[in-house]
Amino acid sequence: MLEWLLRQDLRLFFHINNKWQQPWLDALMPWIREPYVWAPLYLFLALFVTINYRWRGFFWIVLFIVSFGIADQTSSFIKDAVGRLRPCRDPLLQHFVRVLVSYCPSSGSFTSNHAANHFALGTFCFITLKQAFQQYAWLFYVWAFAIAYAQVYVGVHNPVDVMGGAILGTMIGLLSSSFFQRRIRLEADLT
C-alpha cells in the first residue's frame, strides 16, 4: 500500500511540476509562496479585528500567531523525524525536477511547513471570521491551497508532503479556533 501511494505521489508530482506547466504559472508560483507577498493580508486582518473587535481583536492576533508557531514547530519536528528527501534533492529525481526557486532547502520534505502554517491560519481565520466575511470566508482555504500547490509546482515538495502539512495545519487551526471560540469569540465590543 505504501509503495503504491509513493508511486501515485511521484506521478502527481511530475504532472504538477512538468506536464501542467504554464509560462504564467512559472512566473506566479515562486512569488505566491513568499511570506512577504502575504504581509498586506496579515496587516489587513490585524487592523480589521483590532478596529472592529478591540480587545477581542488583540487576543485574536495572539491566537493567530500561536497557531502559526505551533504548526511551524510541529511540522519541523515531523520533518526531522521522517527525513524524507525533497524532490529537488533526491539524487534519482533531481535531474528531472523543474526547480523554479533560487535554492532547494536542505531540510526534510514531509510535512510541508508552508502547507501546515497556511492551513492552520486559513482554518483559524475561516472559523473565527466566517460571520464577518460570510460567503467569502472560503477564500482563506483558496489562499492556503494556492500556497501548498505552489510548493509542488516549484519543485520543493511532493504532493503527499503538502497534503500531510494541510491535514496537520487544519487540525491545529481547528484546535486553536475552537479554543478561541469557546473562550473569547469575536463579538462587537460596545464599551
Side-chain angles (χ1 to χ4, degrees):
M1 179 69 175
L2 180 61
E3 188 178 313
W4 177 84
L5 177 64
L6 292 175
R7 272 198 318 269
Q8 298 309 313
D9 184 40
L10 190 58
R11 179 178 291 152
L12 183 57
F13 171 79
F14 280 114
H15 272 83
I16 294 170
N17 182 255
N18 283 290
K19 287 188 177 184
W20 297 341
Q21 66 176 305
Q22 295 291 325
W24 67 275
L25 287 175
D26 288 357
L28 179 66
M29 290 300 174
W31 179 78
I32 205 168
R33 57 182 288 283
E34 292 298 328
Y36 64 84
V37 169
W38 299 101
L41 174 63
Y42 305 143
L43 179 60
F44 166 76
L45 291 172
L47 289 172
F48 177 82
V49 296
T50 304
I51 292 167
N52 289 297
Y53 303 105
R54 298 188 184 166
W55 68 270
R56 293 172 192 271
F58 170 77
F59 286 108
W60 184 92
I61 293 168
V62 169
L63 260 296
F64 182 87
I65 293 168
V66 166
S67 298
F68 175 87
I70 292 171
D72 193 62
Q73 293 305 305
T74 305
S75 182
S76 292
F77 174 78
I78 293 170
K79 190 180 287 192
D80 291 341
V82 172
R84 184 178 192 195
L85 289 175
R86 292 175 181 264
C88 52
R89 292 241 178 235
D90 188 326
L92 299 174
L93 303 177
Q94 66 187 24
H95 300 294
F96 306 103
V97 175
R98 290 178 342 115
V99 181
L100 301 177
V101 291
S102 59
Y103 71 98
C104 178
S106 58
S107 59
S109 191
F110 184 86
T111 58
S112 165
N113 283 48
H114 275 77
N117 297 346
H118 290 92
F119 271 90
L121 296 178
T123 300
F124 180 77
C125 290
F126 177 81
I127 291 173
T128 60
L129 295 173
K130 69 180 164 191
Q131 187 174 3
F133 287 93
Q134 297 175 8
Q135 72 265 24
Y136 299 105
W138 61 272
L139 290 173
F140 290 116
Y141 282 112
V142 171
W143 161 57
F145 176 80
I147 292 169
Y149 184 84
Q151 291 295 93
V152 178
Y153 191 90
V154 301
V156 297
H157 278 292
N158 293 295
V160 165
D161 305 334
V162 297
M163 285 185 242
I167 291 167
L168 174 66
T170 299
M171 291 177 2
I172 291 168
L174 285 170
L175 290 171
S176 61
S177 62
S178 175
F179 175 82
F180 182 83
Q181 294 293 84
R182 276 195 322 274
R183 303 286 180 176
I184 300 164
R185 186 178 292 274
L186 290 178
E187 297 171 352
D189 190 3
L190 302 174
T191 58

